[in-house]
Amino acid sequence: MSIVLRFTPNLARHLDCPDARVAAETLHDALDQYFRQNPSVRGYVLDDQGMVRKHVAIFINQALISDRIGLTDKIDAGDEIFVMQALSGG
Amino acid sequence: MSNRLLIGTQKGLFRIARDDKGRWAMHDSRFIGDPVSLVLSEPGSRRLHAAFALGHFGVKMQRSEDGGASWQEAPVPGYPEKPADIEDKDPMRGIDIPWSTQLIWSMALGGTPNELWCGTIPGGLFRSVDGGDNWTLIRALWDDPRRRQWMGGGYDFAGIHSILVDPRDPAHITVAISVGGVWTTHDAGTNWTLIGNGLRNDYTPPGMGENPLMQDPHRVVQCPTAPDRLWMQHHNGIFVSDNGGIDWRELTDVPPSAFGFAVVVHPDEPDTAWFVPAAKDEQRVPVDARLVVTRTRDGGRSFDVLGNGLPDEPAYDLIYRHAFDISADGERLAFGSTTGGLWVSENRGDDWQCVSTHLPPINSVCFEMD
């Protein structure tokens, strides 16, 4: 199955994070695949414990994910994952 | 004698340079918009390390090999996976301490080639032996059960803001923690001793004021040529030690105030140190809105109040821990404020030159080492 992963342009200020297509059934696996190809992006999205950073938000299609700790949210073919900076803090 | 300054601010990194007429002025800027928490310059090279606390995307490091003309992203000290069965809560707030780097709050060159030390919030001390390519958490300090009594001071969680590497012995490291006292190791981090006889605070309940673990050293510095002499700007005042921090004496008669955050010591004259005072902890502005620097040249028996060249008009500048630096020859001083003021002295603080009053809030001031 093909999932589209996109990142906020604000992240591109700091490093190269191209859009990508991955095949996965959970958010965790989708991000993991992406980070294997783009290892420097991991620390911008996840903290040292692998949780979503406090001021980062992740949407699947147009809904915020529900599990920011384990990233267990399910994804289906055709879904779009969007990583953005939360509109708080920062 | 350094003719260059690196200024880490809440909105970028600025290089300041001295021209041949003695004027200090902006040379260039980098990383505009990004919060820079700290800059470290390595002597004998043009290598720099800069630490960032990006609001959204976490702590980052950059390294330069050419004095800041170009930068490359570098690895960040990271915490190991937190075991599921460990409860680790801030004692003041009762909330979980994140096992994740929140802020790089101190960096120091080690005493062996390519060795670096790094202090962080939430309290981890890290060591690198390869110039910062890899970092290792010093587990003995992190796992010490007394760490559970460390508290945040200003920030939500405790942190290491001062790292002293004994020039006589690279395995003798002393660190200071807000709020968690002063700790020292003689074996590069395997065994730690909590030190600090004579420190005291007024902010804890009766009977706890002299507990070394409850102390809030704001900043501790070491005289490089007399390493047993330490100076401390503490939340409660100014303290000085003659035996590497084991015992301290408090200096109480300090005009106009003994409260502040920053301190620097002369590299060759252990009795000479400078401070930038604020009124008191609940009023963190200069006394009577008059920005001054205080200097002792006799080990703290007396202090000069220095203001020549500092603002005549009311000023509300506060100087953070790492925003005060002294050049390697001990002649030049520079400090930057939370309201974006930057001043330089070329004669040990007798006279000051204003470089700017319009920079972003300043976190870190660093002379580039020659």
Side-chain angles (χ1 to χ4, degrees):
Chain A
M1 60 180 66
S2 183
I3 313 293
V4 177
L5 243 157
R6 299 188 200 282
F7 294 85
T8 168
N10 289 334
L11 190 51
R13 277 187 63 230
H14 301 288
L15 79 174
D16 193 27
C17 48
D19 294 350
R21 286 185 178 276
V22 297
E25 296 182 357
T26 66
L27 176 64
H28 179 275
D29 290 348
L31 288 176
D32 212 43
Q33 282 184 41
Y34 186 86
F35 296 148
R36 277 202 293 272
Q37 299 296 317
N38 303 274
S40 56
V41 180
R42 177 185 291 270
Y44 284 77
V45 178
L46 306 181
D47 70 11
D48 297 2
Q49 299 301 311
M51 297 188 277
V52 179
R53 287 198 173 279
K54 183 177 177 183
H55 296 300
V56 168
I58 301 180
F59 284 79
I60 297 175
N61 300 326
Q62 294 177 351
L64 274 168
I65 62 168
S66 58
D67 181 7
R68 294 171 58 87
I69 297 173
L71 312 174
T72 56
D73 291 60
K74 301 287 186 198
I75 45 180
D76 293 317
D79 283 352
E80 180 170 316
I81 298 170
F82 186 72
V83 178
M84 61 174 276
Q85 79 281 12
L87 300 181
S88 65
Chain B
M1 186 170 293
S2 179
N3 291 321
R4 296 179 299 275
L5 278 166
L6 295 138
I7 312 299
T9 80
Q10 277 300 100
K11 297 183 181 180
L13 176 66
F14 298 85
R15 289 199 298 173
I16 308 293
R18 182 186 191 271
D19 67 20
D20 53 13
K21 296 187 179 67
R23 285 294 310 172
W24 293 76
M26 179 83 71
H27 178 71
D28 64 7
S29 60
R30 291 295 304 272
F31 307 111
I32 290 301
D34 295 339
V36 181
S37 63
L38 205 64
V39 183
L40 177 71
S41 170
E42 292 196 18
S45 75
R46 300 210 67 196
R47 175 178 282 191
L48 305 174
H49 304 264
F52 296 76
L54 303 182
H56 295 98
F57 303 116
V59 168
K60 302 291 174 267
M61 298 273 282
Q62 296 269 346
R63 201 158 50 198
S64 171
E65 303 291 346
D66 54 14
S70 64
W71 294 85
Q72 297 79 41
E73 189 162 1
V76 176
Y79 285 74
E81 184 176 355
K82 182 185 175 186
D85 59 345
I86 285 188
E87 184 173 280
D88 194 7
K89 291 185 182 297
D90 177 84
M92 183 73 84
R93 298 168 183 82
I95 57 175
D96 286 334
I97 295 171
W99 285 38
S100 189
T101 304
Q102 308 287 296
L103 185 72
I104 289 176
W105 214 14
S106 50
M107 279 190 286
L109 284 175
T112 60
N114 291 318
E115 186 181 21
L116 289 167
W117 294 88
C118 180
T120 67
I121 294 175
L125 177 69
F126 293 82
R127 182 188 187 201
S128 172
V129 294
D130 55 14
D133 287 341
N134 293 278
W135 294 97
T136 303
L137 176 66
I138 301 297
R139 289 302 300 239
L141 187 59
W142 183 247
D143 294 337
D144 191 298
R146 292 169 292 181
R147 179 181 66 79
R148 306 296 172 85
Q149 297 177 60
W150 295 2
M151 301 177 291
Y155 290 94
D156 284 348
F157 303 102
I160 296 173
H161 51 66
S162 300
I163 304 171
L164 314 176
V165 180
D166 190 334
R168 301 163 299 191
D169 175 7
H172 178 206
I173 310 295
T174 303
V175 299
I177 293 131
S178 287
V179 178
V182 181
W183 297 66
T184 194
T185 175
H186 287 270
D187 52 18
T190 304
N191 293 283
W192 289 89
T193 305
L194 174 65
I195 56 177
N197 295 327
L199 299 176
R200 67 165 195 96
N201 69 60
D202 290 333
Y203 46 78
T204 49
M208 295 177 69
E210 294 180 358
N211 181 345
L213 199 52
M214 295 290 113
Q215 303 305 318
D216 183 10
H218 283 176
R219 179 76 171 145
V220 182
V221 293
Q222 180 174 43
C223 181
T225 54
D228 289 333
R229 165 57 64 84
L230 308 185
W231 288 93
M232 176 190 292
Q233 175 67 68
H234 182 287
H235 191 94
N236 243 97
I238 293 171
F239 294 81
V240 60
S241 173
D242 292 318
N243 58 8
I246 297 169
D247 298 292
W248 297 84
R249 65 179 185 278
E250 184 175 7
L251 308 178
T252 53
D253 187 18
V254 183
S257 164
F259 182 82
F261 289 90
V263 50
V264 295
V265 59
H266 193 282
D268 301 314
E269 300 171 16
D271 282 347
T272 300
W274 293 260
F275 302 82
V276 192
K280 51 186 176 177
D281 63 347
E282 67 272 37
Q283 194 181 75
R284 298 177 181 193
V285 297
V287 177
D288 298 328
R290 173 78 176 126
L291 178 61
V292 294
V293 172
T294 53
R295 176 182 64 198
T296 179
R297 292 183 288 191
D298 53 15
R301 284 187 290 279
S302 66
F303 282 82
D304 307 315
V305 178
L306 309 169
N308 192 28
L310 297 177
D312 290 325
E313 67 269 31
Y316 300 93
D317 300 76
L318 184 69
I319 316 307
Y320 277 166
R321 292 167 170 81
H322 306 102
F324 195 11
D325 199 20
I326 186 166
S327 59
D329 64 359
E331 293 300 312
R332 293 178 173 172
L333 298 161
F335 70 88
S337 78
T338 53
T339 40
L342 177 66
W343 291 269
V344 177
S345 172
E346 298 194 344
N347 57 7
R348 300 181 175 219
D350 286 335
D351 302 287
W352 294 89
Q353 179 187 130
C354 179
V355 181
S356 176
T357 55
H358 300 292
L359 290 169
I362 294 172
N363 296 322
S364 166
V365 168
C366 173
F367 279 101
E368 187 180 342
M369 306 286 273
D370 290 320

